[in-house]
Amino acid sequence: MIARNAFQRMYDMILTHGTDSFIEYKKEITRYKFFDDPIGNGADAVFGLDVQIMKLVNFFKSAAYGYGTEKRVLLLHGPVGSAKSTLARLLKKGIESYSKTDAGMMYTFKWVDPTGKGEPLFGGAVEMMSPMNEDPLKLFPEEMRAKVLAEINIGNKTDYKIAIKGDLDPASRFVMRELMKRYGGDWVKVMDHVRVVRVMLSEKDRVGIGTFQPKDEKNQDSTELTGDINYRKIAEYGSDSDPRAFNFDGEFCVANRGVIEFIEVLKLDVAFLYDLLTASQEHKIKPKKFAQTDIDEVIIGHTNEPEFRKLQNNEFMEALRDRTVKIDVPYITKLKHEIKIYEKDFNANKIRGKHIAPHTIEVAAMWAILTRLEHPKKASISLMQKLKLYDGKTLSGFTEENVKELRKEAVREGLDGVSPRYVQDKISNALVKSDIPCLNPFMVLNELESGLKNHALIGSEERKREYRDLISMVKQEYEDIVKNEVQRAISADEDSIAKLCGNYIDNVKAFTQREKVRNKYTGMDEEPDERLMRSIEEKIDIPESRKDDFRREIMNYIGALAIEGKTFDFKTNERLHKALELKLFEDQKDSIKLTSLVSNVVDRNAQEKIDVVKARLIKNFGYDDISATDVLNFVASIFARGDVKKRD
């Protein structure tokens, strides 16, 4: 395991953190826990990209087993802010941390003077590190390797066969050659000058992890990748072609045995891209004035959509296209995952002194997702319904197959739309602007809408208008959400629900068994109360033609529980529970007089009932006093508008 190559280490590092799996659209999806960022306590956690991450890990698996992708550049492609840089950063951070563990230990070597007097070959120094942290196994001469590997691999029980590929770096090769001359070809004596040492990768110290970012085109120099001559040492060694007078500090040299990241790789000058071709396919680089030098490293690049389109349209770049494995990193299209992105930055631990009202983050995430979804081709489904289906909600008339069809027909879904960064910036603006100690959804939605005027990446007025329409759609959805919450808060008196449920069940039992119901007040036997039963069933859209079946289902359910020795509880039947809540709300909303909140006069009795509702909103739904008052006023205004419409 110590002798693994860079791809094998990367693959094993990801697996070290474990996996789990889930079924989505009848396909098993593997989740790799490494991408939850356990090393950074979730700071760089990636959400909602499980399918793309599976493709990424499969790339490393194929490369680890030598199936061909080890000769390719891994190209992460997607719109701005879609987590491409985060994925690259995670991989660099992961391999650095892994190299410090027992499972990920790796070794290099240094040349030493056994006498301790100072070796002329090293410029009078006592020791000289391998400048590219070479694998010690490369010290075996070519003619010895086959025999050595045959012996080592006899007892090898790992998934990988040990291999020794390539030659030493030019400086080590020079020292090796000179020492072999000194000892008349006695390799064993040359090894007296070698000490094997452990190496730990470090991005900050530029050991095994390199990062290259495009600069101004006029200042780009390929020596940044392959290293340059150290002119101060030319006088010491007498020649600029002496490898000891060369700084092996280019990013390819630094990243040997580890990983190199190319930021915005397709913005590189063409000369750099040629270096990339041989580095990926042949695992060789060409330092100035030296022969091609072998490297062992993972090459990751990432690029945005416009640069990738240029690559596709440029016939001169066919060689690079052929040597890349592209993995799309789109925007998230699942609401629950988008919410997690914003909750990392905007939560009670980070935002001190301000309360973020319930659904504030949710509505911002909802709008962001809607901008990324393609309009369904079938008129029977709205964009908001599509969002809910993608988020795992069940809608009547839609199956998993329908959701699969929706995904298949949307070719570019997730590659367009608003980036999470824009939303994060606007939430920050709303927090900073507001003097109110509570941030509510309308403050954020207003900020998102006003920011569209100056959005640098949206040039089309038609697109801006479309996004504003989506904000109106989100506001309507928010209205429905808070109306439902206030309804539940008003009807949250469990004793009253239980009483209503008992009354309903008594009537349903009498109806199905064709009996009469004893009136508790008059003591008289009466016909089942059809009006009561229908007023509850209509709340969950049970049509007149289905009422008999529904009532029999309820009684069969109660009977099955009784056989098992269990008592019926309305909370276990979600549909009935919802119907009872809505019925109770309808009965109680007039006594609470919620609409009186929008007037200046509220009687004491009504105020006490409103205070009870407010307390429930705070306790059950996460509101504070200010946001609970705001949402009650908002819902009251909705009902007031409804009452006016009815009168009209």
Side-chain angles (χ1 to χ4, degrees):
M1 298 300 277
I2 286 167
R4 285 170 294 177
N5 65 36
F7 284 97
Q8 290 165 344
R9 288 176 183 283
M10 187 68 82
Y11 177 59
D12 289 348
M13 178 275 293
I14 293 169
L15 294 186
T16 298
H17 295 275
T19 62
D20 54 31
S21 61
F22 61 94
I23 304 295
E24 186 173 71
Y25 311 132
K26 298 179 183 176
K27 286 178 77 175
E28 186 174 3
I29 308 293
T30 303
R31 267 192 77 253
Y32 293 91
K33 295 180 182 178
F34 166 72
F35 295 94
D36 295 335
D37 190 19
I39 298 162
N41 295 318
D44 281 325
V46 175
F47 306 110
L49 295 174
D50 295 308
V51 173
Q52 288 74 23
I53 286 170
M54 271 180 67
K55 291 176 183 176
L56 178 71
V57 177
N58 285 341
F59 168 88
F60 287 122
K61 183 177 183 179
S62 170
Y65 288 106
Y67 296 158
T69 54
E70 74 280 6
K71 296 177 182 178
R72 304 287 178 265
V73 175
L74 173 63
L75 184 66
L76 303 175
H77 157 259
V80 293
S82 64
K84 303 182 297 295
S85 302
T86 305
L87 285 169
R89 187 164 60 249
L90 267 171
L91 292 168
K92 291 193 296 184
K93 188 163 62 174
I95 202 68
E96 179 176 325
S97 177
Y98 187 59
S99 72
K100 295 170 184 172
T101 65
D102 289 346
M105 64 174 68
M106 57 191 294
Y107 290 86
T108 184
F109 64 88
K110 60 183 176 181
W111 298 102
V112 300
D113 174 15
T115 67
K117 293 176 182 176
E119 171 60 61
L121 276 175
F122 316 151
V126 178
E127 60 182 44
M128 183 185 97
M129 282 296 298
S130 163
M132 289 174 60
N133 298 309
E134 292 284 19
D135 186 337
L137 292 181
K138 283 190 177 182
L139 289 161
F140 284 111
E142 196 71 44
E143 59 273 15
M144 290 175 66
R145 288 182 181 179
K147 187 180 179 184
V148 168
L149 287 172
E151 289 186 24
I152 293 174
N153 279 312
I154 287 171
N156 180 7
K157 294 178 182 177
T158 70
D159 290 340
Y160 311 121
K161 268 201 168 186
I162 296 172
I164 307 172
K165 292 183 180 178
D167 211 339
L168 293 164
D169 61 76
S172 296
R173 200 160 60 241
F174 176 85
V175 173
M176 181 79 145
R177 188 170 61 246
E178 292 303 310
L179 288 174
M180 287 288 273
K181 282 182 193 172
R182 183 185 297 178
Y183 295 113
D186 190 333
W187 180 80
V188 176
K189 285 187 178 177
V190 173
M191 289 303 102
D192 287 340
H193 289 266
V194 171
R195 298 290 179 270
V196 172
V197 293
R198 184 168 178 180
V199 59
M200 296 187 186
L201 306 187
S202 168
E203 184 173 18
K204 287 179 183 175
D205 298 329
R206 302 185 77 223
V207 178
I209 300 174
T211 306
F212 189 78
Q213 191 165 359
K215 311 268 189 322
D216 175 48
E217 285 182 18
K218 293 175 184 176
N219 297 327
Q220 288 188 19
D221 186 352
S222 62
T223 58
E224 291 181 52
L225 285 177
T226 54
D228 201 3
I229 294 161
N230 185 335
Y231 291 97
R232 282 167 47 188
K233 288 190 176 180
I234 291 173
E236 186 179 335
Y237 294 115
S239 168
D240 62 357
S241 59
D242 189 311
R244 294 168 299 173
F246 191 85
N247 287 336
F248 292 91
D249 58 358
E251 294 302 323
F252 272 134
C253 305
V254 163
N256 194 40
R257 311 282 306 283
V259 58
I260 183 170
E261 175 194 8
F262 282 89
I263 297 169
E264 296 295 345
V265 63
L266 298 182
K267 286 181 180 172
L268 288 172
D269 187 63
V270 176
F272 285 78
L273 295 175
Y274 289 140
D275 284 325
L276 212 53
L277 298 181
T278 43
S280 59
Q281 183 72 35
E282 281 86 37
H283 290 194
K284 292 178 186 292
I285 57 171
K286 178 72 175 66
K288 192 189 286 185
K289 297 207 171 186
F290 293 105
Q292 286 193 322
T293 300
D294 295 286
I295 56 169
D296 168 29
E297 57 199 66
V298 176
I299 303 172
I300 301 173
H302 43 91
T303 186
N304 292 328
E305 185 84 359
E307 278 77 28
F308 185 72
R309 278 202 294 268
K310 278 185 200 171
L311 174 69
Q312 285 179 309
N313 298 329
N314 188 344
E315 61 186 44
F316 297 108
M317 299 308 295
E318 191 176 341
L320 181 63
R321 286 204 305 272
D322 194 46
R323 286 173 172 82
T324 57
V325 172
K326 178 176 75 77
I327 293 176
D328 287 327
V329 185
Y331 288 136
I332 289 170
T333 54
K334 283 189 180 178
L335 180 61
K336 60 188 168 208
H337 293 139
E338 187 76 6
I339 289 170
K340 285 180 183 177
I341 292 175
Y342 307 133
E343 284 180 341
K344 274 200 304 183
D345 293 321
F346 305 106
N347 56 63
N349 293 327
K350 285 194 175 183
I351 309 299
R352 299 286 181 177
K354 283 204 178 188
H355 181 263
I356 298 177
H359 311 297
T360 301
I361 301 297
E362 183 185 348
V363 297
M366 199 181 287
W367 178 73
I369 298 288
L370 287 171
T371 67
R372 300 164 192 168
L373 298 182
E374 292 183 18
H375 284 275
K377 290 178 181 173
K378 292 179 182 175
S380 59
I381 178 171
S382 71
L383 207 59
M384 185 61 77
Q385 285 176 313
K386 188 178 186 181
L387 178 145
K388 290 177 181 177
L389 285 170
Y390 278 13
D391 201 40
K393 302 280 192 304
T394 51
L395 297 178
S396 60
F398 293 97
T399 63
E400 274 196 0
E401 290 301 318
N402 297 133
V403 182
K404 278 173 75 175
E405 280 175 33
L406 286 169
R407 286 206 176 275
K408 275 182 185 175
E409 73 182 25
V411 182
R412 286 191 49 79
E413 203 155 67
L415 295 175
D416 295 307
V418 167
S419 83
R421 285 186 199 135
Y422 175 78
V423 178
Q424 286 165 325
D425 291 345
K426 297 309 161 192
I427 296 172
S428 298
N429 287 357
L431 279 165
V432 171
K433 278 184 182 178
S434 172
D435 295 328
I436 301 167
C438 177
L439 183 71
N440 69 47
F442 286 104
M443 293 174 186
V444 172
L445 287 173
N446 291 340
E447 198 64 39
L448 289 169
E449 187 169 5
S450 63
L452 289 173
K453 293 176 197 169
N454 305 312
H455 197 302
L457 299 176
I458 308 173
S460 159
E461 284 302 318
E462 187 182 343
R463 180 62 61 87
K464 288 179 183 178
R465 191 162 52 250
E466 185 186 326
Y467 287 178
R468 287 190 193 99
D469 291 343
L470 293 177
I471 285 176
S472 301
M473 192 187 292
V474 170
K475 284 179 180 175
Q476 184 58 55
E477 183 66 21
Y478 175 66
E479 276 191 21
D480 294 342
I481 290 168
V482 290
K483 269 168 62 179
N484 179 259
E485 279 185 350
V486 170
Q487 286 170 353
R488 286 165 65 194
I490 287 171
S491 59
D493 183 346
E494 291 203 1
D495 290 340
S496 298
I497 295 179
K499 193 175 177 182
L500 179 63
C501 181
N503 197 1
Y504 174 73
I505 296 299
D506 287 345
N507 279 277
V508 167
K509 182 183 175 188
F511 174 84
T512 53
Q513 296 181 1
R514 301 188 180 182
E515 297 173 350
K516 291 193 175 183
V517 181
R518 174 64 59 93
N519 189 311
K520 292 176 185 175
Y521 302 105
T522 64
M524 303 287 290
D525 288 338
E526 298 173 355
E527 292 296 323
D529 190 342
E530 182 66 22
R531 192 173 170 185
L532 169 74
M533 290 187 288
R534 287 305 294 145
S535 68
I536 290 169
E537 291 156 1
E538 283 168 355
K539 296 292 179 290
I540 47 172
D541 300 324
I542 303 295
E544 182 76 22
S545 59
R546 274 267 303 130
K547 70 178 185 183
D548 291 14
D549 293 337
F550 180 74
R551 291 168 190 176
R552 275 193 289 272
E553 281 171 26
I554 292 286
M555 292 315 298
N556 289 342
Y557 178 62
I558 293 170
L561 287 172
I563 291 169
E564 294 174 17
K566 295 176 183 176
T567 308
F568 172 71
D569 184 349
F570 63 86
K571 292 177 195 168
T572 60
N573 190 311
E574 193 178 330
R575 290 183 78 202
L576 181 58
H577 190 183
K578 183 183 176 185
L580 293 166
E581 279 187 336
L582 289 170
K583 169 62 177 165
L584 195 62
F585 167 73
E586 191 178 81
D587 293 345
Q588 291 189 359
K589 75 171 181 178
D590 291 330
S591 68
I592 287 178
K593 293 178 183 173
L594 196 62
T595 51
S596 66
L597 271 172
V598 294
S599 71
N600 295 323
V601 183
V602 183
D603 66 71
R604 186 177 172 184
N605 186 40
Q607 186 61 55
E608 285 176 358
K609 289 180 178 178
I610 287 165
D611 287 342
V612 169
V613 174
K614 194 190 290 186
R616 286 174 185 163
L617 285 170
I618 293 168
K619 182 184 175 186
N620 299 338
F621 299 101
Y623 290 87
D624 68 347
D625 190 68
I626 294 171
S627 57
T629 304
D630 286 346
V631 86
L632 280 172
N633 278 313
F634 176 60
V635 172
S637 70
I638 296 170
F639 286 126
R641 288 201 307 269
D643 290 345
V644 170
K645 282 179 185 174
K646 280 178 190 173
R647 284 200 297 275
D648 290 346

